[in-house]
Structure formats: C-alpha cells, structure tokens
Amino acid sequence: MSGVRRLGRRWRRQRPLRTRLAVAASAAVALVAVGVCTAAFFVIRYEMFHQLDLNLTQSATRVIQENRDAGPQVVAGECRYLSAPACAQIVPALPAEDPPRPYLLPVSAPVREVAIGDRAPYFSNITLSGKPMRMLTTRLGEDKALQVALRSDSVEKGVRQAAGLLAVIGTAGVLLAAGLGYWVSRTGLAPVARLTATAERIASTRDPRHRIELPPGPPGREDEVTRLAASFNTMLGELEQSVTAQRRLVADASHELRTPLTALRTNAELLARADRLTDAQRDRAAGALARQLREVTGLVNDLIELARDEEPTPLLEEVRIAALAEHAVGAARAHWPATPFTLHIAPDAAETVRPGVPARLTRLLTNLLDNAAKFSPEGLPVEVELSSSRRSGSGERLELTVRDHGPGITAADLPYVFDRFYRAETARALPGSGLGLAMARQIARAHGAELTAEQAQGGGAVFRLTFG
C-alpha cells in the first residue's frame, strides 16, 4: 500500500497542475457516469424480472382458483412456446402420491417442503428444453404445492440489450468526462496560466508594469482564481511603485550628490596646489572642504536612514513623549539661539508613554523643530504643544504640534512637503537636502503614528504628529 502511495505522489509531482486537474475532473465525472449506468442497469433488471414475477403470481392465482380441489397432475404444459400461457403442475407432499404421468417441471426437495408448509413460496430460474424459464413454487391447499413457470427469454434479452445500451452510454460518458475534464482544466486554470506567463515575463524583462488581464464581471462576485490574479496585479502595482520610488531616489540622490562632490573635488584640487595659495585662501578652501564633507556625510546618513522601512524590534521601549519633547526643544534652543521655542505640555499627557526607539523619535522631533526654525523670522517663536484626548472605544490619542510663524506652505506645495528631495521655491536658497520631513514621516509611520502638515491660522505652518 505504501508503494502505491509513493507511486501516486511521484506521479503527481511529475505531472503539471493542468494534467492533474483534468484527470481529477475526468475521473469524477466518469465515476458518476459509470455509477449512474450501473444503478440504472440493476433497476431495469429488477423491474423486468419483477414484472415477470407478477405475471407468474397472477397465473398461479388463476390456477389455484380453477384447480383448488384437483389432485397431483400437470395442469398446463405448453410453456415451451414463447407465446404460450404459463405451464403449471400440482405436486403432492409425498412422492408416493405422484401421478403416473411424469411431471413437466423439475420437482426437488424444496418443492415438497413448500407443499408440507415448512418453506415459504419462492421464485427460481430453470432451463426447460434448452430454454430459460422463471418458476414460482407456492402452496396449494393441504399437502400440495403448485409450480408455475414462464419463458424468460424476452426478459433476459431485454436485460442484455439494456446492459449493452448502458455500456455504450457509460463509455460515451467516460469520453465526455475526459473532454469536460480537459475543458475545465484549460478554462479554470486560464488565469493561472496568464499569471504564470506574466510572472515569467517579469522575471525575464525585470519590468513590473505588466498586468494579468482579468475577465469582465461585476465586482464582488469574482471566483478564487480571479481574486488571486487581482491580488497578483495589486502586488505588481506595489512592486512597480517600489521600483519607481527606488529609481527616483537613486536619481534624486545622484543629482543632490553631484554638486557637493564637484565642490569637494574642486577644493581638493585647489588644496593640492597649496604652495600657490596665500594663507587666507588656503584657510578658506580648507573650511569649505570641511563644510562640504559634513554636508555630504549628513546627506549619506539621511539616505541610509530613509532606506530603512521599519524600526528594529529589539530596540523598542516604552518612551515618555513629554520628556522626549523637552529634550528636543532644549537641543533646538541651543542650536537656534535667535529663535525662541515655547513648549506646552497638557497635564494628562505628561506621563503618557508609547512604544518606540528613543533615538529615532528624537530625530523626528529634531527634524520638525529645525524645519520650523529655518522658516521662522528672527524673534518670532516656534510653538510646541503636547496634548492628550480620549476617544470612545479606541483608547487615548496623543498629539504633538509644531507651529512656526514663517511664510507657511502654499496649496501647491502642501501635497509634496514630505517627498524626498522636494524643496519649495521659498526654501531653495536655505541650507538642507530636502530629506528631513521625508525622514520624519517615515519614522512616524514606523511607530504607528501619522504626521501631517497644514496652514496655520494667522500665517505659518503647523505639523501635527498623532499617536493612536
């Protein structure tokens, strides 16, 4: 048995899914067809013999009514002819009482038992003069049995014809099952074939723009294979967006790095000819080289940070957001001495904690504060506020806002402020790489928070960080 199973598993591994599905569907339909034909054969056979038995019962009833007081004898003996009525004979319980004329139908011990009453009436199949017959043996009065027989040629011929016809129908059903199984495998697996072809095409061309063509139909009523193809298309869309974003990041990074690298090379070549420079020129070149190195280093570090999509789980801990905000505001005051920073923490938010990586959350707040200070006019404050609110059924929500009093964000720039390397026209003359806000949003989303930007009433911009 284990050998058969191993052969079956080996066969399934060596055959494609379409062949296995076709064989399974064909076998199922063929099994049903053969089962129906077999059942129909037995039903037809039973009904035909049942009808013959009813005829024998009717003939026996008529003979009993006509010969209730008759002795042992052959009542009718023309049943060797196909169209003749049933032949009948009366048999006594004791062989000594048999008539001198020989019986036409065979008399056996069960016949005597029926005559005595020790056995119930029964039907049997016999052969008489080379012809098949059906015989009924029943009791007739006291110590007598009646045997009635009819030719069963027509019944057996009908059974054979029915068997032949059903065999033809069953064979046709098996062939039809094979055709249906092949059609089902081709039709049912057509989306899978398209999916496979699309996957192979993407693997060979490395182009995720290809899509699987979905069959038309009302939404919400797709079958499993169609939903699989739709999910694959969705995955391809996500892959295409990821590849596009990656290519855009590489292109933008190349563009952003080209200028500082060119300046670095120029200053490095200038310092290589230091013997031709005055001390003041040499100091200016060395300072510019150091400054440009810091800019390139910061840009590369920002790109590395943006390449990470999630925070390392082992570094997560419970972070008190209020303490983190106080630390970030204190650092910003030291870095931007000309810009006043105000911090307001609501009492119910002072002790609220959230899971996160402290260094990453500090980087998020620092980027927001640096961006606000960069655009705030000298002397106007940057306002930081931390508040907490409780929502019905969804727990406590923590919200941190950073508001500046600068020129604000135009409606045209608002959808793009968090894009990598995006810089509004008013910010292109300011220092920075355009990665700070993109990194801030990525850190926020990695911590399950949402960072949004909007125009502030009275001028300036508001950045809102919301922890669920």
Side-chain angles (χ1 to χ4, degrees), residues 107-127:
V107 178
S108 59
V111 177
R112 309 287 184 180
E113 294 174 359
V114 171
I116 297 173
D118 293 341
R119 184 185 179 107
Y122 66 93
F123 293 94
S124 59
N125 297 316
I126 62 172
T127 301

mmCIF file of all heavy atoms in Angstrom, residues 107-127:
data_model
loop_
_atom_site.group_PDB
_atom_site.id
_atom_site.type_symbol
_atom_site.label_atom_id
_atom_site.label_comp_id
_atom_site.label_asym_id
_atom_site.label_seq_id
_atom_site.Cartn_x
_atom_site.Cartn_y
_atom_site.Cartn_z
ATOM 1 N N VAL A 107 -39.015 -31.345 -10.041
ATOM 2 C CA VAL A 107 -39.516 -31.388 -8.661
ATOM 3 C C VAL A 107 -38.336 -31.749 -7.763
ATOM 4 O O VAL A 107 -37.693 -32.787 -7.938
ATOM 5 C CB VAL A 107 -40.641 -32.418 -8.505
ATOM 6 C CG1 VAL A 107 -41.103 -32.484 -7.053
ATOM 7 C CG2 VAL A 107 -41.804 -32.087 -9.438
ATOM 8 N N SER A 108 -38.073 -30.860 -6.800
ATOM 9 C CA SER A 108 -36.944 -31.054 -5.881
ATOM 10 C C SER A 108 -37.444 -31.060 -4.453
ATOM 11 O O SER A 108 -38.632 -30.870 -4.184
ATOM 12 C CB SER A 108 -35.897 -29.950 -6.091
ATOM 13 O OG SER A 108 -36.484 -28.677 -5.867
ATOM 14 N N ALA A 109 -36.519 -31.284 -3.521
ATOM 15 C CA ALA A 109 -36.899 -31.346 -2.109
ATOM 16 C C ALA A 109 -37.541 -30.058 -1.621
ATOM 17 O O ALA A 109 -38.516 -30.099 -0.852
ATOM 18 C CB ALA A 109 -35.664 -31.681 -1.274
ATOM 19 N N PRO A 110 -37.070 -28.855 -2.019
ATOM 20 C CA PRO A 110 -37.748 -27.636 -1.573
ATOM 21 C C PRO A 110 -39.208 -27.558 -1.989
ATOM 22 O O PRO A 110 -40.023 -26.962 -1.289
ATOM 23 C CB PRO A 110 -36.921 -26.512 -2.217
ATOM 24 C CG PRO A 110 -35.565 -27.099 -2.391
ATOM 25 C CD PRO A 110 -35.809 -28.540 -2.726
ATOM 26 N N VAL A 111 -39.547 -28.186 -3.145
ATOM 27 C CA VAL A 111 -40.942 -28.170 -3.595
ATOM 28 C C VAL A 111 -41.802 -28.947 -2.603
ATOM 29 O O VAL A 111 -42.908 -28.524 -2.223
ATOM 30 C CB VAL A 111 -41.055 -28.743 -5.015
ATOM 31 C CG1 VAL A 111 -42.526 -28.784 -5.464
ATOM 32 C CG2 VAL A 111 -40.226 -27.932 -5.994
ATOM 33 N N ARG A 112 -41.324 -30.136 -2.136
ATOM 34 C CA ARG A 112 -42.056 -30.927 -1.151
ATOM 35 C C ARG A 112 -42.186 -30.157 0.175
ATOM 36 O O ARG A 112 -43.215 -30.255 0.848
ATOM 37 C CB ARG A 112 -41.314 -32.250 -0.908
ATOM 38 C CG ARG A 112 -40.953 -33.052 -2.156
ATOM 39 C CD ARG A 112 -42.152 -33.707 -2.789
ATOM 40 N NE ARG A 112 -41.756 -34.552 -3.933
ATOM 41 C CZ ARG A 112 -42.613 -35.247 -4.681
ATOM 42 N NH1 ARG A 112 -43.918 -35.216 -4.394
ATOM 43 N NH2 ARG A 112 -42.187 -35.966 -5.704
ATOM 44 N N GLU A 113 -41.134 -29.389 0.517
ATOM 45 C CA GLU A 113 -41.175 -28.620 1.764
ATOM 46 C C GLU A 113 -42.250 -27.535 1.691
ATOM 47 O O GLU A 113 -42.941 -27.260 2.678
ATOM 48 C CB GLU A 113 -39.810 -27.991 2.053
ATOM 49 C CG GLU A 113 -38.721 -29.022 2.347
ATOM 50 C CD GLU A 113 -37.351 -28.383 2.490
ATOM 51 O OE1 GLU A 113 -37.266 -27.140 2.342
ATOM 52 O OE2 GLU A 113 -36.363 -29.112 2.724
ATOM 53 N N VAL A 114 -42.395 -26.897 0.514
ATOM 54 C CA VAL A 114 -43.453 -25.905 0.349
ATOM 55 C C VAL A 114 -44.817 -26.562 0.480
ATOM 56 O O VAL A 114 -45.754 -26.018 1.085
ATOM 57 C CB VAL A 114 -43.308 -25.199 -1.016
ATOM 58 C CG1 VAL A 114 -44.529 -24.313 -1.289
ATOM 59 C CG2 VAL A 114 -42.035 -24.360 -1.058
ATOM 60 N N ALA A 115 -44.955 -27.788 -0.090
ATOM 61 C CA ALA A 115 -46.236 -28.497 -0.008
ATOM 62 C C ALA A 115 -46.589 -28.823 1.441
ATOM 63 O O ALA A 115 -47.752 -28.731 1.850
ATOM 64 C CB ALA A 115 -46.169 -29.772 -0.842
ATOM 65 N N ILE A 116 -45.609 -29.218 2.229
ATOM 66 C CA ILE A 116 -45.857 -29.532 3.641
ATOM 67 C C ILE A 116 -46.142 -28.261 4.431
ATOM 68 O O ILE A 116 -46.892 -28.266 5.400
ATOM 69 C CB ILE A 116 -44.643 -30.288 4.222
ATOM 70 C CG1 ILE A 116 -44.453 -31.619 3.500
ATOM 71 C CG2 ILE A 116 -44.811 -30.526 5.716
ATOM 72 C CD1 ILE A 116 -43.189 -32.359 3.884
ATOM 73 N N GLY A 117 -45.551 -27.127 4.017
ATOM 74 C CA GLY A 117 -45.688 -25.882 4.753
ATOM 75 C C GLY A 117 -44.452 -25.503 5.512
ATOM 76 O O GLY A 117 -44.476 -24.538 6.294
ATOM 77 N N ASP A 118 -43.359 -26.266 5.314
ATOM 78 C CA ASP A 118 -42.113 -25.971 6.015
ATOM 79 C C ASP A 118 -41.295 -24.879 5.325
ATOM 80 O O ASP A 118 -40.280 -24.435 5.863
ATOM 81 C CB ASP A 118 -41.257 -27.241 6.122
ATOM 82 C CG ASP A 118 -41.901 -28.277 7.030
ATOM 83 O OD1 ASP A 118 -42.784 -27.876 7.826
ATOM 84 O OD2 ASP A 118 -41.523 -29.455 6.945
ATOM 85 N N ARG A 119 -41.702 -24.458 4.151
ATOM 86 C CA ARG A 119 -40.920 -23.457 3.387
ATOM 87 C C ARG A 119 -41.878 -22.460 2.751
ATOM 88 O O ARG A 119 -42.970 -22.840 2.303
ATOM 89 C CB ARG A 119 -40.065 -24.148 2.320
ATOM 90 C CG ARG A 119 -39.143 -23.215 1.550
ATOM 91 C CD ARG A 119 -38.440 -23.956 0.437
ATOM 92 N NE ARG A 119 -37.582 -23.083 -0.328
ATOM 93 C CZ ARG A 119 -36.258 -23.082 -0.274
ATOM 94 N NH1 ARG A 119 -35.648 -23.984 0.521
ATOM 95 N NH2 ARG A 119 -35.541 -22.254 -1.009
ATOM 96 N N ALA A 120 -41.469 -21.239 2.710
ATOM 97 C CA ALA A 120 -42.292 -20.194 2.096
ATOM 98 C C ALA A 120 -42.218 -20.297 0.573
ATOM 99 O O ALA A 120 -41.276 -20.870 0.022
ATOM 100 C CB ALA A 120 -41.808 -18.819 2.553
ATOM 101 N N PRO A 121 -43.221 -19.771 -0.136
ATOM 102 C CA PRO A 121 -43.171 -19.750 -1.608
ATOM 103 C C PRO A 121 -41.911 -19.022 -2.091
ATOM 104 O O PRO A 121 -41.440 -18.079 -1.449
ATOM 105 C CB PRO A 121 -44.443 -19.008 -1.999
ATOM 106 C CG PRO A 121 -45.373 -19.216 -0.834
ATOM 107 C CD PRO A 121 -44.499 -19.232 0.381
ATOM 108 N N TYR A 122 -41.382 -19.454 -3.253
ATOM 109 C CA TYR A 122 -40.147 -18.851 -3.754
ATOM 110 C C TYR A 122 -40.128 -18.879 -5.278
ATOM 111 O O TYR A 122 -40.854 -19.642 -5.924
ATOM 112 C CB TYR A 122 -38.930 -19.595 -3.197
ATOM 113 C CG TYR A 122 -38.795 -21.017 -3.669
ATOM 114 C CD1 TYR A 122 -38.018 -21.330 -4.795
ATOM 115 C CD2 TYR A 122 -39.430 -22.057 -3.000
ATOM 116 C CE1 TYR A 122 -37.890 -22.645 -5.230
ATOM 117 C CE2 TYR A 122 -39.301 -23.365 -3.432
ATOM 118 C CZ TYR A 122 -38.534 -23.656 -4.546
ATOM 119 O OH TYR A 122 -38.416 -24.951 -4.994
ATOM 120 N N PHE A 123 -39.269 -18.004 -5.842
ATOM 121 C CA PHE A 123 -39.034 -17.959 -7.286
ATOM 122 C C PHE A 123 -37.683 -18.585 -7.570
ATOM 123 O O PHE A 123 -36.741 -18.488 -6.780
ATOM 124 C CB PHE A 123 -39.040 -16.518 -7.802
ATOM 125 C CG PHE A 123 -40.374 -15.839 -7.725
ATOM 126 C CD1 PHE A 123 -40.712 -15.048 -6.627
ATOM 127 C CD2 PHE A 123 -41.313 -15.984 -8.741
ATOM 128 C CE1 PHE A 123 -41.935 -14.416 -6.556
ATOM 129 C CE2 PHE A 123 -42.538 -15.347 -8.672
ATOM 130 C CZ PHE A 123 -42.856 -14.568 -7.580
ATOM 131 N N SER A 124 -37.577 -19.221 -8.747
ATOM 132 C CA SER A 124 -36.306 -19.830 -9.151
ATOM 133 C C SER A 124 -36.187 -19.774 -10.661
ATOM 134 O O SER A 124 -37.183 -19.618 -11.383
ATOM 135 C CB SER A 124 -36.215 -21.280 -8.655
ATOM 136 O OG SER A 124 -37.294 -22.036 -9.176
ATOM 137 N N ASN A 125 -34.950 -19.898 -11.134
ATOM 138 C CA ASN A 125 -34.671 -19.921 -12.574
ATOM 139 C C ASN A 125 -34.313 -21.348 -12.980
ATOM 140 O O ASN A 125 -33.459 -21.987 -12.347
ATOM 141 C CB ASN A 125 -33.524 -18.975 -12.924
ATOM 142 C CG ASN A 125 -33.848 -17.521 -12.621
ATOM 143 O OD1 ASN A 125 -34.947 -17.051 -12.932
ATOM 144 N ND2 ASN A 125 -32.904 -16.808 -12.015
ATOM 145 N N ILE A 126 -34.941 -21.846 -14.032
ATOM 146 C CA ILE A 126 -34.691 -23.208 -14.506
ATOM 147 C C ILE A 126 -34.499 -23.176 -16.011
ATOM 148 O O ILE A 126 -34.718 -22.138 -16.662
ATOM 149 C CB ILE A 126 -35.867 -24.140 -14.154
ATOM 150 C CG1 ILE A 126 -37.150 -23.660 -14.859
ATOM 151 C CG2 ILE A 126 -36.067 -24.215 -12.633
ATOM 152 C CD1 ILE A 126 -38.313 -24.621 -14.720
ATOM 153 N N THR A 127 -34.097 -24.303 -16.568
ATOM 154 C CA THR A 127 -33.961 -24.464 -18.019
ATOM 155 C C THR A 127 -34.809 -25.651 -18.434
ATOM 156 O O THR A 127 -34.658 -26.760 -17.890
ATOM 157 C CB THR A 127 -32.490 -24.689 -18.415
ATOM 158 O OG1 THR A 127 -31.714 -23.569 -17.981
ATOM 159 C CG2 THR A 127 -32.358 -24.834 -19.913
#
